[in-house]
Amino acid sequence: SSITYDDTHAFSLPVPDYEAEDVLVVRESKQLRALGDDLRSKIVVLLRDRALSTTELAKQLGLPKGTVGHHVKVLEKAGLVRVVRTRKVRAVTEKFYGRVARLFLFKSTDADGEDVRNVAAAALRRAAEEMLPIGDDGRTTFAVVRTRLTDADAKRLTRRLEKLIDDFNAAESADGEEYGLAAALYGRAVDA
């Protein structure tokens, strides 16, 4: 599918091979705990655009089918993935799993936000594993900066960050190279 952007640019988004909601607000503790695991985080990423069976997931992850199957069941019980289709393979019905939504937004209901921090930590570890230098000079742009902000400035910068994320997603190109973007604006714990 092609979408016009700013009346001057057209871009194509990947066409998923299964139906899913656009957004799921993940706030239940069991959902956040399920996504706080590195392996389950990887599984959810692999299921973004294409439904996969436990066998296919195990092959892509280089792990035993039983291990992957256990983690898929945890995600399924948490309401984050579901069976999107099945097929008969000899006498066995093979299940193909997909995400319940294309985008997960995280909101914590626990007082200290530990569940969301665990999800963020898993996502950042995944990003660090994937990180390769960009361009001929071998640079990767990465920064962690801290400053004091008013509530108004934090809201304004959050909107700009959300716009950057939207622009990043909109720049998707079928003939482009794979890139990742890890972004967060967060309130800091006082004693951190």
Side-chain angles (χ1 to χ4, degrees):
S1 66
S2 182
I3 296 175
T4 302
Y5 179 68
D6 287 344
D7 297 327
T8 57
H9 298 87
F11 60 91
S12 296
L13 295 173
V15 178
D17 75 344
Y18 65 92
E19 293 294 318
E21 296 293 323
D22 290 332
V23 178
L24 172 69
V25 177
V26 179
R27 62 171 52 104
E28 292 179 27
S29 188
K30 72 177 181 178
Q31 292 175 319
L32 292 164
R33 281 193 308 273
L35 289 170
D37 177 88
D38 288 357
L39 178 56
R40 291 191 289 265
S41 169
K42 289 177 185 178
I43 290 169
V44 167
V45 169
L46 288 172
L47 297 175
R48 185 182 76 170
D49 298 320
R50 186 170 166 257
L52 296 169
S53 69
T54 304
T55 302
E56 291 171 326
L57 284 165
K59 184 176 180 181
Q60 286 192 30
L61 294 165
L63 293 170
K65 185 178 170 182
T67 300
V68 173
H70 163 76
H71 289 279
V72 169
K73 289 296 178 198
V74 170
L75 290 166
E76 187 177 27
K77 285 181 183 174
L80 299 166
V81 303
R82 63 182 175 85
V83 175
V84 296
R85 66 177 167 268
T86 60
R87 77 173 177 193
K88 275 285 204 201
V89 179
R90 296 181 206 100
V92 178
T93 301
E94 186 175 33
K95 296 176 183 177
F96 288 80
Y97 294 89
R99 293 161 56 136
V100 297
R102 299 283 166 230
L103 176 65
F104 294 154
L105 298 178
F106 304 103
K107 298 216 181 211
S108 180
T109 55
D110 65 336
D112 63 1
E114 181 180 356
D115 289 335
V116 169
R117 282 197 308 275
N118 289 338
V119 171
L124 290 173
R125 283 191 296 273
R126 173 115 173 107
E129 289 171 4
E130 295 175 347
M131 218 176 264
L132 294 173
I134 299 173
D136 296 335
D137 59 4
R139 289 184 305 125
T140 295
T141 301
F142 176 81
V144 175
V145 293
R146 294 167 182 89
T147 192
R148 294 180 181 276
L149 299 173
T150 64
D151 284 344
D153 284 336
K155 287 177 184 173
R156 178 180 57 82
L157 290 168
T158 297
R159 286 190 301 273
R160 286 184 61 192
L161 192 56
E162 289 168 348
K163 173 74 169 106
L164 174 63
I165 293 166
D166 289 344
D167 289 349
F168 180 81
N169 285 326
E172 174 89 21
S173 173
D175 58 346
E177 299 291 323
E178 288 218 18
Y179 285 84
L181 173 68
L185 178 67
Y186 56 91
R188 292 187 62 221
V190 176
D191 58 350

